[in-house]
């Protein structure tokens, strides 16, 4: 390749093209056929929806939240979004962040790419952008960019839930970027270069690395395990469930007359959840399974069957007590107990070193995409924060909500319709 590409272009592959019917077959069998990710995977950047939502969940994530710098006006913000879009389009295809690769350009100027991903393949990189409530109206009530009247009604800072212990330095932000890839260096390279491009226009507020996806977003993926050792997200949506994705993930036409620009987009909920894993590790297996509501080995509901069988919440055991505890995690999170709503989850495990007591600072970086947080996340989390038996072992320490614009067409920038 010429100097215009950092590592050459790779053909699109592995883009989750399984037929919708495969989901039912896979779940019926209880053993989805795992499809191994390939470093050469490259997902199209342009399309009706942003990548990194229904894309089969990659193994690694780098999430970052930014605040727009003081003094930046509407035109400068549009300039930043344009530059981010161009860089994301190149990097997701295995190219450089800049028009020139990391080893080219003026010898007396900084390179246009930092270089740590030079020679690395695309690794299934996706980059997803979101707009926070404070982008529309800041803390002083100012409409910095002339977009306050176009803020979606659902885009409000998430409420305080019972037992929340949020750290402001790990919460919210005017803008967010979710970069996911099979190779952690590719994901980090993307966020690093987008941060570099934003210099003087937006400031990195906080970020999070994630590993070991805790969700499956394709029928080609087996259900992953969280740091409690249990399969997580068995009942979560898969990208192949197109009708349910349309109903529960994408913002439909006419949903909000003030925010038509968001139609075809979604809402991203992020929660950093610290897990008291040392305490959990001392809990008996019986207690662990009762709290979760599933067997640890197979992930089957305690009421019987295999992993993808529906739980029987009415089934009683000894003394007429429901076998599925009414306050188990699975019971409270199940769509049957949440007005039938579903979420598309893309969470990751994290470990941020250890605390002063020698305990791992570890947990779950929860991410979910929903059509409306007011119906699809807030009511469920309100109940779970009060009643979920697992809350004894959890502490929510970070939080944020962002509106995710629809996909980008060539020649446009992400969120362009908001500024039209």
């Amino acid at each position: 390749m010429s100097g215009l590409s950092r590592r050459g272009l790779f053909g699109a592959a592995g883009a989750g093209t399984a037929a919708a019917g495969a989901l039912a077959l896979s779940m019926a069998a209880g053993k989805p056929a795992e499809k191994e990710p390939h470093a050469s995977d490259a997902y199209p950047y342009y399309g009706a929806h942003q990548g990194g939502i229904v894309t089969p969940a990659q193994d690694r994530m780098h999430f970052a939240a930014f605040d727009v710098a003081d003094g930046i006006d509407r035109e400068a913000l549009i300039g930043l979004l344009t530059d981010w879009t161009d860089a994301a389009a190149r990097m997701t295809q295995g190219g450089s962040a800049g028009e020139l690769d990391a080893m080219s350009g003026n010898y007396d100027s900084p390179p246009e790419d930092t270089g740590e991903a030079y020679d690395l393949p695309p690794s299934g990189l996706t980059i997803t952008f979101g707009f926070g409530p404070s982008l529309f109206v800041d803390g002083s009530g100012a409409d910095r960019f002339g977009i306050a009247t176009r803020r979606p009604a659902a885009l409000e800072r998430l409420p305080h839930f019972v037992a929340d212990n949020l750290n402001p330095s790990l919460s919210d932000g005017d803008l967010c970027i979710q970069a996911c890839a099979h190779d952690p260096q590719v994901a980090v390279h993307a966020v690093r270069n987008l941060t570099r491009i934003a210099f003087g226009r937006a400031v990195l507020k906080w970020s999070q690395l994630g590993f070991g996806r805790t969700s499956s977003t394709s029928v080609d993926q087996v259900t992953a395990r969280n740091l409690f050792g249990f399969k997580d997200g068995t009942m979560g949506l898969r990208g192949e469930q197109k009708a349910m994705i349309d109903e529960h993930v994408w913002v439909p036409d006419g949903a909000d007359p003030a925010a038509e620009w968001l139609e075809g987009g979604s809402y991203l909920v992020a929660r950093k959840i610290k897990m008291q894993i040392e305490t959990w590790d001392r809990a008996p297996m019986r207690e662990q399974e009762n709290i979760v509501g599933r067997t640890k080995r197979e992930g089957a509901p305690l009421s019987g069957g295999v992993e993808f069988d529906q739980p029987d919440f009415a089934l009683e055991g000894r003394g007429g007590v429901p076998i599925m505890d009414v306050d188990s995690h699975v019971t409270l999170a199940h769509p049957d107990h949440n007005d039938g709503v579903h979420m598309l989850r893309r969470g990751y495990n994290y470990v941020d070193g250890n605390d002063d007591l020698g305990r791992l600072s570890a947990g779950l970086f929860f991410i979910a995409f929903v059509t409306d947080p007011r119906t699809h996340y807030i009511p469920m989390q309100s109940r779970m924060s009060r009643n979920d038996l697992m809350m004894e072992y959890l502490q929510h320490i970070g939080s944020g909500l962002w509106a995710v614009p629809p996909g980008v067409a060539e020649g446009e920038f992400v969120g362009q319709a908001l500024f039209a």
Side-chain angles (χ1 to χ4, degrees):
M1 296 296 292
S2 71
L4 296 178
S5 171
R6 82 162 188 247
R7 56 200 184 220
L9 300 178
F10 294 77
T17 56
L23 177 71
L25 294 173
S26 295
M27 287 188 169
K31 295 180 179 179
E34 178 74 75
K35 183 176 182 180
E36 290 293 329
H38 298 287
S40 59
D41 287 350
Y43 298 108
Y45 182 73
Y46 299 107
H49 309 290
Q50 290 196 61
I53 302 175
V54 297
T55 309
Q58 301 91 328
D59 295 329
R60 305 297 181 118
M61 175 212 70
H62 194 178
F63 188 93
F66 297 80
D67 280 339
V68 179
D70 293 340
I72 294 301
D73 61 14
R74 179 188 177 102
E75 292 308 310
L77 174 60
I78 290 173
L80 170 61
L81 296 174
T82 301
D83 292 345
W84 272 0
T85 301
D86 292 344
R90 286 188 287 266
M91 289 190 288
T92 54
Q93 303 309 300
S96 169
E99 293 184 358
L100 299 177
D101 73 22
M103 311 303 166
S104 303
N106 188 326
Y107 200 53
D108 294 319
S109 298
E112 295 184 2
D113 185 288
T114 52
E116 69 269 33
Y118 192 77
D119 285 337
L120 294 179
S123 296
L125 175 67
T126 55
I127 299 173
T128 315
F129 297 98
F131 301 159
S134 56
L135 186 70
F136 295 82
V137 180
D138 68 14
S140 66
D143 177 9
R144 292 179 291 170
F145 309 112
I147 54 177
T149 59
R150 309 193 72 184
R151 181 174 72 172
L155 188 63
E156 296 280 357
R157 192 171 185 271
L158 291 174
H160 181 88
F161 299 106
V162 173
D164 271 4
N165 186 20
L166 302 181
N167 182 343
S169 66
L170 300 174
S171 301
D172 305 315
D174 295 340
L175 303 162
C176 80
I177 296 174
Q178 175 199 254
C180 298
H182 306 317
D183 185 334
Q185 186 139 324
V186 171
V188 170
H189 167 265
V191 169
R192 179 185 176 190
N193 278 273
L194 294 171
T195 303
R196 181 182 56 81
I197 290 169
F199 181 76
R201 294 181 286 183
V203 179
L204 181 63
K205 182 178 183 183
W206 59 274
S207 66
Q208 182 65 54
L209 293 172
F211 66 92
R213 61 176 177 81
T214 61
S215 306
S216 302
T217 57
S218 170
V219 296
D220 292 333
Q221 297 177 315
V222 298
T223 309
R225 295 181 185 270
N226 58 32
L227 294 183
F228 284 161
F230 280 78
K231 292 185 176 182
D232 205 343
T234 294
M235 301 305 297
L237 290 176
R238 268 64 168 177
E240 292 83 356
Q241 296 173 287
K242 297 187 182 306
M244 296 186 72
I245 293 291
D246 286 343
E247 179 181 359
H248 297 286
V249 176
W250 307 131
V251 175
D253 294 352
D256 187 341
E260 292 180 348
W261 60 271
L262 189 56
E263 294 170 358
S266 188
Y267 289 90
L268 186 160
V269 177
R271 302 281 287 180
K272 185 170 183 177
I273 306 172
K274 184 177 181 180
M275 300 165 71
Q276 311 293 352
I277 57 176
E278 289 82 3
T279 308
W280 177 265
D281 293 344
R282 293 193 291 271
M285 177 71 91
R286 181 188 303 277
E287 180 179 340
Q288 291 186 7
E289 291 193 339
N290 186 62
I291 289 172
V292 174
R294 293 187 179 277
T295 63
K296 195 167 188 176
R297 181 187 300 275
E298 302 293 343
L302 294 185
S303 55
V306 295
E307 180 187 355
F308 293 104
D309 286 346
Q310 289 294 325
D312 183 351
F313 298 110
L315 185 65
E316 296 180 346
R318 184 178 302 173
V321 176
I323 290 178
M324 299 286 297
D325 195 297
V326 297
D327 289 330
S328 71
H329 190 74
V330 167
T331 300
L332 291 172
H334 196 277
D336 286 358
H337 300 144
N338 290 283
D339 297 324
V341 302
H342 295 256
M343 299 186 296
L344 189 139
R345 295 179 49 183
R346 288 185 65 95
Y348 287 84
N349 298 315
Y350 77 86
V351 175
D352 293 340
N354 58 274
D355 62 21
D356 293 338
L357 299 176
R359 300 173 301 192
L360 287 176
S361 298
L364 168 68
F365 193 76
F366 173 94
I367 292 177
F369 290 91
V370 296
T371 183
D372 190 329
R374 298 170 298 183
T375 55
H376 281 60
Y377 179 75
I378 294 173
M380 183 198 69
Q381 181 56 25
S382 295
R383 284 190 289 273
M384 297 189 72
S385 65
R386 291 192 302 267
N387 302 319
D388 187 358
L389 294 173
M390 193 179 289
M391 285 301 295
E392 179 180 352
Y393 300 89
L394 305 177
Q395 188 175 69
H396 289 235
I397 58 176
S399 176
L401 174 68
W402 292 268
V404 176
V408 182
E410 288 194 61
E412 295 183 348
F413 62 87
V414 65
Q416 180 166 317
L418 170 61
F419 300 91

